[in-house]
Amino acid sequence: MSLRAAWLLGLLLASTAGAQPEAVREPAEAARTAKPGEAPSHERNTPLGALVPGSSERQALGDAATESLRERVRILKRAGVVLSGAAADDGGLVSEVEAGLASLPPAMRRFPGGPLELVLHPESAPLGMGDGTEARPDWTEEGARLHLYRYAPSAERRVTLRMSRLTDVESERLWRRRAVVHAVVRRWDEARAWSQTVRWRRLSGWLQPLERPLVWKEEARLHFAGAFSRARGQQSASLDLVTFAEELFVPVESLRADALSDDEQVRCQEFSKSRALAELVESSGLGALGGRGACPAFDAWAEKDLLSHFEVLLVAATGRQPESLFGHLLLRPVWREGAQVRGPSFERVVQLVALTGMESRGLDYVVKGMTGAYDTVFLTGTMGDLTHEALELEQRTIRRFHLRLTRGEEERMLERVWELERRGYMGYYFFTDNCASALLFLLNGVLEQERQVRPPGVLWVLPTATLDALAKVEVVGKDGPAGPLLELIPDAFESTGERAVRADTARREALDALSVHVGARELSGLLRLHERLQSPDPDARREAYGELPETVTQVFASARPARRSEVRDTLHAYVAHLVRVERAAVDRMDGEKLAIERLRLLALRTPVEGDAAAGVRERQRIFEREDVLQRKLAVLDRTAMLEESLATAPRRPPSPEELKRLVLAERTEAAFVQATEAQGALSDGVFAEVDAVAFLGKDHRRKVDAETRWAAAALRESGAARTVVSVGVDFPGTGVARPVVSVRTAGMAEALGDARQHGFQPSSELRVLDGELSLEPRWGAPRVVSTDMTLVGYRTLQRELPQFRDSAWDSLGWGAEARVTSDAERPLPYRATVQAEALVIVDEGARFSRFTAVGVGGLARMNWGESMMRPAAGPRLSLAHRTGLPGSGANAVRVEAAYSPTWRLGDTHLTHEAGASLQVEWWLGRAGPFGVLLTPRAQVRWEGSYARLSPHASLNPSTGWSVVAERRLALGLEMR
């Protein structure tokens, strides 16, 4: 045996016995430092005379080399790696097999599953590895034989980008080593099922067949090829793990140190997968892989030492726009202030959105949003962008929730955001794969101990229901005490519209406070001016703002000297709140202007940069190379992209109505400018001594105190997935009283005035798939008494401020619903009804805890039975009232009543229908993890006409009317 063969045998046997890998890595290190096309140093260190040998010497050297190669092959065989045929005669392949084994921890080299045979084929294949087809198999003999091929370059972009600086020789050596790692890690995965653990599968979102509807085979939620080490990794969780192990154990820089910058190396790009694989290897007792080292770009971005906590943000509905009802979720990392001061507008926020580009918002847009035609992406933007889009243009307040994470989970969250911003692309489906499911995907990838938060539904994942699911998880955070994973922060980011509503109340309070401290004549002048400042006409408001400084100065001068300081502060608050209301008016009109400009552009069908598919491709290209990305600011603000495109794209002339709105926007902006000039003049004059910072601080504390009081009384859960069981008694018009058991379930049921931390606005009511089944218990099968299903119903009491009203409609609430019912007492027992109404608000309290509203509208209905179908229509009057009760914000008395005379096709008379219900809602508190709500209810239903309608109807002797009447008393109990 030659000295070299003996040396190699000793090393491999030592490594097999658990020796440290440094000795084995010596030839690999020599190979890495060799120049392109040059043999490794351990093969070049021969005596000088041997460089020009004679024929006998050449024969002897050749025989020694052959014998040495055979011995190395025999040593590999003893280690479990069998080289057959051409593979055993390829010295370069043998060297790379040795180097590939040496890249693994020593214990991993003793792989399970018996001998591993490597077969080298003369045909070429991309990367020299099989693709699983019959023509190019990668494994045969039930995983005992790995097939290798002559190396050929790959067309996979993810692979070629990372190898772009390697020569063909270096690339071949790289993939020979990776083939060995592939084979060994596959054996370990088969033995230990690493790829089937939650720890691994959650990172790419691997789903088993039938784990979700329409999932027929194993597939990953991430569908971007760049999220996997190579294409084979997209086929299964096992191949995902094995192909990633190739890249982790044999990185590109192992062949050439300058092949990739530090920030582009796999250790600085795939934090989560690297940690997961390292933990799996270590937990299996196979050794530790070590830390990742420095990653300059990520470390500078993450600022881990300054990280305070994470927040979940809910962009709530406005109350007037039903399309925004379901809300939108975001993630906000919060850093403490460091040496470099960062203003609030530059704070970062992670948006989980569908990239829709600038496609028109028509039916095609809706269909695409429901069928996965768009991609959900993870965008790191700024609070300034979010504020402009949500708080100003869309007028949507953002609620804040604290995520109770451990320190390790917070650091992993930063890493996960970094990764997913670059490679996280998932199909967007409005009902199931949306911002809420994306948040859970992000969060589940960082939770410790393989904890998982399950989606709150299979066919429908609501943002508010997702907040419920997060709040139900009890954890121990970094501060020690246990508590819910998610908790409300009673300090929302207020939209300019909601702030205007609050300011409108505050300025009325300021006027009331002035009445006892200033002159009556001067106050009357201010009140007359105040009326003009509430005009819907911006020109009238602008003119009034011009008179404001003089009027305020006169009011201040009329104050008694002892009260002047108090009057000054009150007047300052009044003017500040005026300007806040005017600012909301400008923001509303800016939103309208942007919508009009978009319509003018899309009406021409002008192709512009920014369609959904192009946006995805451009974004993927930007994030391909970290060194390029760090020198280029990616444009992630969708509103800014739209405004930039609109600035240069051709468009049609505005329509007369659009032109009217655009002119109104300019006049509104002029009124706002005049308001700020008036405020500035007063600040230089009578308000010069006012501490404006103190005013802002006091106003903010007042807002937070109000939110804290509301949150303390509000229910935590949203109205999603509710179930109420009721027992009661029916008193039909004929016959005796009968017991009734009712079960009410709802996909979503939030009523007007509901106080819910995770819910919608108290001014809005939403019911989706809200149904009640009433049964009469008896011997045998129970009898169905009635059914009532609201497919979808919406009501809102939110109205515009006086100066925002363009028509009488803006001073009213409104509602609409689609409903299907059945009742055996009716001659035509089945009904499908569509109704709509305008709501006149007679009385209201703070956050609509108390209200009275009268509705005027109409309905269209289809009545049918076994052999008859009759449409009907008519007007409808309704009354809705709520009175809050002491204690919890859920405690209330509700009264609902409605009357509608309808005319049915074929009838010669009207059918009069009336119904009313009285319900008390009383929160009993929590019993362990469950909350208990008691709902006793009394209801009555009456229907009559001049004709006898059914055998069950009773005849009123005085009127000759045929009457169907029913009364019910029920006690309901809801546990959540």
Side-chain angles (χ1 to χ4, degrees), residues 23-62:
V24 180
R25 290 176 180 165
E26 182 178 335
E29 289 296 327
R32 283 195 290 271
T33 58
K35 297 179 181 179
E38 188 176 57
S41 59
H42 67 275
E43 297 179 3
R44 300 196 310 268
N45 293 335
T46 55
L48 181 61
L51 296 177
V52 285
S55 59
S56 59
E57 293 171 324
R58 284 198 301 272
Q59 180 65 38
L61 287 173

Side-chain angles (χ1 to χ4, degrees), residues 713 883-893 921-923:
T883 296
L885 297 177
S888 168
N891 299 344
V893 174
E921 299 171 353
W922 194 265
W923 175 251

Side-chain angles (χ1 to χ4, degrees), residues 435-449:
C435 61
S437 61
L439 175 66
L440 292 180
F441 177 76
L442 173 62
L443 180 62
N444 283 333
V446 304
L447 292 179
E448 294 174 343
Q449 301 172 357

Side-chain angles (χ1 to χ4, degrees), residues 552-735:
V552 169
T553 301
Q554 290 173 356
V555 172
F556 175 70
S558 70
R560 296 195 301 271
R563 294 288 186 174
R564 286 206 166 185
S565 177
E566 181 181 347
V567 169
R568 180 191 292 111
D569 289 343
T570 304
L571 286 170
H572 174 269
Y574 171 75
V575 173
H577 291 306
L578 281 176
V579 176
R580 285 180 168 181
V581 174
E582 204 62 48
R583 168 63 188 274
V586 172
D587 289 339
R588 287 163 50 88
M589 296 311 301
D590 282 346
E592 285 197 38
K593 284 170 55 179
L594 192 62
I596 290 172
E597 293 303 319
R598 178 173 189 149
L599 287 174
R600 292 174 60 194
L601 173 67
L602 293 174
L604 291 176
R605 298 293 186 266
T606 304
V608 296
E609 294 183 2
D611 70 288
V616 168
R617 290 192 299 271
E618 173 64 12
R619 201 166 175 279
Q620 291 171 351
R621 187 191 64 78
I622 289 174
F623 282 99
E624 278 182 345
R625 297 297 297 264
E626 199 66 41
D627 53 352
V628 176
L629 176 63
Q630 297 305 317
R631 296 193 300 267
K632 177 176 180 178
L633 178 63
V635 179
L636 303 179
D637 179 10
R638 294 171 295 167
T639 303
M641 291 173 63
L642 175 59
E643 291 174 342
E644 181 181 348
S645 296
L646 291 176
T648 57
R651 67 201 74 182
R652 64 163 171 78
S655 67
E657 183 60 30
E658 290 173 343
L659 183 60
K660 180 180 177 180
R661 301 304 295 176
L662 292 174
V663 171
L664 181 62
E666 292 180 358
R667 292 163 56 198
T668 302
E669 185 174 355
F672 175 66
V673 170
Q674 186 64 52
T676 56
E677 289 179 353
Q679 185 182 34
L682 288 168
S683 296
D684 293 336
V686 296
F687 297 160
E689 298 180 14
V690 175
D691 187 345
V693 175
F695 162 75
L696 293 175
K698 181 180 178 181
D699 181 72
H700 181 258
R701 288 191 297 273
R702 181 180 179 182
K703 165 185 168 291
V704 172
D705 289 344
E707 289 187 32
T708 302
R709 290 192 299 271
W710 175 83
L715 295 178
R716 184 181 68 183
E717 288 81 5
S718 71
R722 298 178 64 180
T723 300
V724 181
V725 178
S726 302
V727 294
V729 180
D730 266 5
F731 302 91
T734 59

Side-chain angles (χ1 to χ4, degrees), residues 185-500:
V185 174
R186 183 178 186 271
R187 288 289 185 87
W188 282 112
D189 181 46
E190 290 175 344
R192 304 296 176 91
W194 289 341
S195 61
Q196 301 308 307
T197 61
V198 172
R199 186 180 305 178
W200 180 261
R201 296 182 68 86
R202 65 187 181 182
L203 298 181
S204 295
W206 284 103
L207 302 171
Q208 297 283 10
L210 303 180
E211 185 175 342
R212 295 178 64 182
L214 304 181
V215 175
W216 309 114
K217 62 182 182 64
E218 187 179 31
E219 64 181 47
R221 291 187 63 190
L222 294 182
H223 59 235
F224 175 41
F228 301 87
S229 292
R230 57 189 181 96
R232 286 285 280 159
Q234 290 183 267
Q235 297 180 8
S236 68
S238 176
L239 284 170
D240 182 17
L241 183 142
V242 170
T243 55
F244 176 73
E246 299 169 358
E247 191 174 21
L248 181 65
F249 287 113
V250 189
V252 175
E253 62 271 17
S254 67
L255 268 295
R256 177 183 288 187
D258 62 349
L260 289 173
S261 66
D262 287 343
D263 292 319
E264 292 181 299
Q265 294 174 14
V266 65
R267 63 183 179 83
C268 292
Q269 287 289 315
E270 298 285 0
F271 303 109
S272 300
K273 286 186 174 181
S274 298
R275 179 183 288 105
L277 184 53
E279 290 174 349
L280 290 168
V281 170
E282 186 171 357
S283 63
S284 299
L286 300 178
L289 303 189
R292 64 169 171 83
C295 298
F298 170 77
D299 294 338
W301 175 87
E303 297 181 290
K304 290 183 179 180
D305 294 339
L306 296 176
L307 182 65
S308 172
H309 63 278
F310 277 89
E311 294 177 5
V312 173
L313 304 181
L314 170 66
V315 183
T318 64
R320 297 288 295 183
Q321 300 169 350
E323 68 272 13
S324 69
L325 266 182
F326 297 111
H328 177 58
L329 295 180
L330 307 95
L331 184 71
R332 179 189 179 221
V334 181
W335 284 271
R336 294 181 295 272
E337 200 66 69
Q340 181 178 358
V341 178
R342 180 188 295 115
S345 294
F346 293 95
E347 293 180 351
R348 280 163 273 180
V349 65
V350 182
Q351 294 218 46
L352 319 167
V353 296
L355 277 187
T356 61
M358 282 171 283
E359 299 184 8
S360 58
R361 300 310 195 248
L363 179 61
D364 185 54
Y365 175 82
V366 174
V367 172
K368 286 183 176 181
M370 293 183 177
T371 57
Y374 298 124
D375 280 321
T376 299
V377 298
F378 299 78
L379 306 179
T380 299
T382 65
M383 278 300 299
D385 297 336
L386 178 62
T387 297
H388 180 53
E389 182 178 356
L391 304 186
E392 297 172 1
L393 296 179
E394 297 180 357
Q395 300 280 289
R396 298 170 67 180
T397 289
I398 301 175
R399 293 186 208 164
R400 302 165 59 195
F401 300 87
H402 178 265
L403 266 180
R404 189 191 299 267
L405 301 176
T406 67
R407 187 60 183 175
E409 288 171 338
E410 289 179 343
E411 292 182 0
R412 285 197 289 277
M413 181 67 85
L414 288 174
E415 295 172 349
R416 195 78 176 127
V417 169
W418 177 271
E419 298 166 345
L420 291 176
E421 184 173 24
R422 286 150 176 77
R423 291 171 290 281
Y425 294 85
M426 301 183 292
Y428 178 84
Y429 297 84
F430 177 79
F431 291 109
T432 58
D433 291 56
N434 47 36
C435 61
S437 61
L439 175 66
L440 292 180
F441 177 76
L442 173 62
L443 180 62
N444 283 333
V446 304
L447 292 179
E448 294 174 343
Q449 301 172 357
E450 298 190 357
R451 291 198 307 265
Q452 295 283 283
V453 182
R454 294 192 174 276
V458 177
L459 301 177
W460 193 12
V461 182
L462 276 171
T464 52
T466 300
L467 298 179
D468 294 343
L470 294 174
K472 290 177 183 177
V473 178
E474 290 288 320
V475 298
V476 177
K478 61 185 177 184
D479 299 327
L485 178 60
L486 190 83
E487 290 182 305
L488 177 71
I489 299 174
D491 185 11
F493 295 129
E494 203 173 29
S495 71
T496 54
E498 190 161 315
R499 188 173 64 181

